[in-house]
Amino acid sequence: AAGWLAWKRAPLPPRSALAPLAMVAVGCIIGFPWLTSIAMRSLPAAHGAVLVGILPLATAVFGALLAGEKPSAGFWIMASVGSALVIGFALGQSGGSLQPADLAIFLAVLLAAMGYAAGGRLSQTLGGQQTICWALLLSAPALLPLVGWLCWRDGPRLAAAGPAAWTGFAYVSVFSMFIGFFFWYRGMALGGVARVGQVQLVQPFLSLLGAALVLGEALAWPTVVFAIAVIAVVGAGRKMQVKRGENRRLS
């Protein structure tokens, strides 16, 4: 990120951009990856994929709160139905009570939605590439000491990690946490947070497919049915009217 900013000779972000950049850093760079990684140690990837299926609606909620967008009543109805489906799935899979891993996923979704909305709004004036790069740099002072301590504590285990682990780590580092945001925030700047956020509809399907192909997880019918139901509800919400707020330039 620092190299890209230096190559582009990007100016320092204005003071008014610091709060949205902090939201991106806390939500997308620290909160969501950390909490989902913890949850996925005890949850099947397919289970987590269904829970994360509510992220498009959560992003729309934060789009209304942070980006000045105004979804219609029908949109909020679909949001409530989708939330109920996801919570019902989590309760059914967890024996009638939410497990700590489920709560970690839900908190991760809220943090990611906050970061998406703040970053999407900021990208309208700062640009998607600068938004994620400055957010990554802003998070570095908090993350570098922690990474250093983890390397010292877990050095032997890191050295023994196989190619599959390092390949996965490299993928989430380069694409999920960096290059992917170039396009994601650019799209939100052009089409609006709530509307473009619905593109995440395909994420549960792709995650279920990845869980089967990469991890060898069996696709249980209840999981597939709930994933389809959540996506159908979010898709219905996507058709509801969403009024975009006025674009105010940062200064």
Side-chain angles (χ1 to χ4, degrees), residues 1 9-10 19 33 92 97 111 136 158 167 170 194 236:
R9 298 182 179 179
S97 61
L111 289 174
L136 284 165
L158 292 174
T167 300

Side-chain angles (χ1 to χ4, degrees), residues 112-169:
M114 177 189 71
Y116 286 167
R121 178 65 169 172
L122 186 58
S123 295
Q124 295 179 21
T125 51
L126 197 61
Q129 297 168 336
Q130 288 195 43
T131 295
I132 187 58
C133 286
W134 285 118
L136 284 165
L137 288 187
L138 187 63
S139 67
L143 291 179
L144 286 177
L146 178 59
V147 170
W149 176 74
L150 289 172
C151 289
W152 174 78
R153 189 194 69 174
D154 300 327
R157 290 202 301 171
L158 292 174
W166 284 109
T167 300
F169 182 74

Side-chain angles (χ1 to χ4, degrees), residues 1-250:
W4 187 92
L5 291 169
W7 175 50
K8 291 292 185 179
R9 298 182 179 179
L12 291 173
R15 184 176 299 178
S16 57
L18 294 181
L21 286 174
M23 292 182 187
V24 176
V26 172
C28 298
I29 298 171
I30 299 176
F32 184 79
W34 175 49
L35 289 169
T36 51
S37 296
I38 291 175
M40 289 298 100
R41 296 182 66 182
S42 57
L43 288 177
H47 181 103
V50 175
L51 301 189
V52 175
I54 203 67
L55 184 54
L57 294 177
T59 301
V61 171
F62 277 95
L65 295 175
L66 301 179
E69 298 183 354
K70 298 178 180 179
S72 63
F75 190 98
W76 293 120
I77 292 174
M78 292 297 101
S80 300
V81 173
S83 299
L85 280 172
V86 170
I87 293 173
F89 173 80
L91 289 172
Q93 293 282 304
S94 305
S97 61
L98 292 177
Q99 302 300 314
D102 294 320
L103 298 177
I105 289 288
F106 287 134
L107 180 56
V109 165
L110 291 177
L111 289 174
M114 177 189 71
Y116 286 167
R121 178 65 169 172
L122 186 58
S123 295
Q124 295 179 21
T125 51
L126 197 61
Q129 297 168 336
Q130 288 195 43
T131 295
I132 187 58
C133 286
W134 285 118
L136 284 165
L137 288 187
L138 187 63
S139 67
L143 291 179
L144 286 177
L146 178 59
V147 170
W149 176 74
L150 289 172
C151 289
W152 174 78
R153 189 194 69 174
D154 300 327
R157 290 202 301 171
L158 292 174
W166 284 109
T167 300
F169 182 74
Y171 178 85
V172 298
S173 299
V174 175
F175 293 100
S176 297
M177 295 305 304
F178 186 51
I179 295 177
F181 277 99
F182 282 23
F183 303 97
W184 182 243
Y185 281 142
R186 175 61 175 166
M188 284 190 165
L190 293 174
V193 172
R195 188 72 65 191
V196 175
Q198 306 309 300
V199 173
Q200 298 169 105
L201 280 168
V202 299
Q203 182 172 329
F205 275 131
L206 295 178
S207 296
L208 291 174
L209 181 62
L213 296 179
V214 178
L215 303 178
E217 291 186 5
L219 292 181
W221 280 110
T223 301
V224 176
V225 169
F226 266 96
I228 293 173
V230 170
I231 289 172
V233 170
V234 177
R238 183 183 182 277
K239 298 179 180 179
M240 303 298 175
Q241 184 179 14
V242 178
K243 295 182 179 179
R244 296 188 62 181
E246 295 182 0
N247 182 22
R248 297 188 295 271
R249 287 195 62 83
L250 295 172

